[in-house]
Amino acid sequence: PRSTLFPYTTLFRANGAGKSTLLNILHGVFHATEGKVMIDGCEVRFSNALEAIHGGIAKVHQEINIIPEMTVTENIMLGMETTRKGMLDKRAMNSETKRLLDMLGCNFSPDDKMKTLSTGKKQMVQIAKALFTNAKVISFDEPTSSLSSTECQMLFKIIRDLKEKGITILYISHKMNEVFELCDRASVLRDGKYVVTLDLKQTSEQELVQNMIGRDVSMYAKRTRPP
């Protein structure tokens, strides 16, 4: 990612291209064998996911990671609870959770159990958790795969708002309309190698796809058309 003073949304697409590996390196899950991760002009190296979170890197997973029996507040604050005189300060935690939910335009309560929420609302909780950690970079891994049309539009609005706040967004999607609607630039990976970064205001879907598959799209279509 570039400095968060210049936020942008980047796409890494195509199965087997290496996008998940790249994100796992960014999030401290894997160690890079070469290359550098630069944030705000400085090289960073994370030994584990917790270090990445403390370094301002958060991820909204495609498979929503929550504890169903716990409340919204408990899920957001898990591992980072506020204490007072050695005891959990539930009032302060609920207050902070409400502030985050209000910021995201959510209409559910900090006391609601996670198991009662829709998929879209659970995803909002993940975003709230990322904001609670003061994330400077948030990655979204195919976030609309299980959302309704209404939930998708709500998510898109929130992503735009986050960009306006100076947060860098990394967005993975197999849906071209989402890419051109949300993204500023698209970085193409193919077979584990970086190919090109395109300014989406100055490119077409055909050019993007051509870089992804490594050949002319029209010629490929002719070769694979059944007789």
Side-chain angles (χ1 to χ4, degrees):
R2 292 178 60 189
S3 165
T4 53
L5 294 175
F6 303 94
Y8 62 89
T9 310
T10 304
L11 163 77
F12 305 98
R13 188 187 183 278
N15 292 331
K19 62 187 186 300
S20 295
T21 300
L22 182 62
L23 285 187
N24 280 328
I25 291 171
L26 175 63
H27 291 283
V29 178
F30 296 158
H31 297 290
T33 54
E34 60 181 83
K36 298 179 180 179
V37 176
M38 307 291 293
I39 298 179
D40 289 335
C42 300
E43 182 179 0
V44 295
R45 294 177 181 270
F46 302 125
S47 300
N48 52 61
L50 186 59
E51 281 189 10
I53 290 172
H54 289 317
I57 313 296
K59 184 177 183 180
V60 177
H61 296 267
Q62 181 180 10
E63 300 80 18
I64 296 177
N65 296 321
I66 53 96
I67 302 178
E69 297 299 328
M70 295 178 70
T71 67
V72 170
T73 294
E74 290 168 339
N75 272 270
I76 290 176
M77 304 288 173
L78 188 63
M80 298 174 287
E81 294 85 354
T82 302
T83 59
R84 182 181 182 186
K85 296 181 179 179
M87 303 290 288
L88 291 179
D89 192 341
K90 294 186 177 181
R91 178 178 296 182
M93 291 192 294
N94 275 342
S95 176
E96 175 62 10
T97 297
K98 187 177 187 310
R99 183 187 71 81
L100 294 169
L101 296 180
D102 288 345
M103 182 189 304
L104 296 173
C106 299
N107 60 356
F108 50 92
S109 167
D111 293 318
D112 287 345
K113 290 287 184 68
M114 291 296 296
K115 65 181 180 182
T116 67
L117 303 182
S118 67
T119 300
K121 290 179 178 179
K122 289 174 182 176
Q123 199 164 66
M124 294 304 141
V125 173
Q126 288 195 99
I127 297 173
K129 187 177 182 72
L131 295 178
F132 177 66
T133 63
N134 294 315
K136 296 181 291 185
V137 179
I138 303 177
S139 65
F140 291 80
D141 188 359
E142 299 187 34
T144 63
S145 58
S146 56
L147 299 185
S148 67
S149 176
T150 300
E151 290 172 333
C152 285
Q153 291 307 311
M154 184 183 301
L155 175 65
F156 295 165
K157 180 182 183 303
I158 288 170
I159 287 176
R160 293 189 186 99
D161 290 343
L162 293 175
K163 288 171 62 180
E164 288 296 321
K165 290 179 171 64
I167 296 174
T168 296
I169 305 296
L170 304 180
Y171 191 87
I172 298 173
S173 178
H174 287 273
K175 301 175 182 178
M176 282 294 175
N177 61 313
E178 294 181 4
V179 175
F180 281 88
E181 180 177 350
L182 289 173
C183 301
D184 301 315
R185 302 193 302 176
S187 291
V188 178
L189 300 180
R190 188 171 66 241
D191 299 328
K193 295 182 179 180
Y194 169 75
V195 177
V196 68
T197 295
L198 300 171
D199 184 333
L200 291 175
K201 291 182 179 179
Q202 300 177 6
T203 191
S204 64
E205 181 175 328
Q206 181 174 351
E207 182 182 7
L208 180 58
V209 173
Q210 183 172 328
N211 277 283
M212 289 164 52
I213 65 176
R215 58 179 68 90
D216 184 84
V217 179
S218 59
M219 292 178 60
Y220 180 73
K222 290 178 181 177
R223 287 199 302 271
T224 57
R225 186 181 297 125

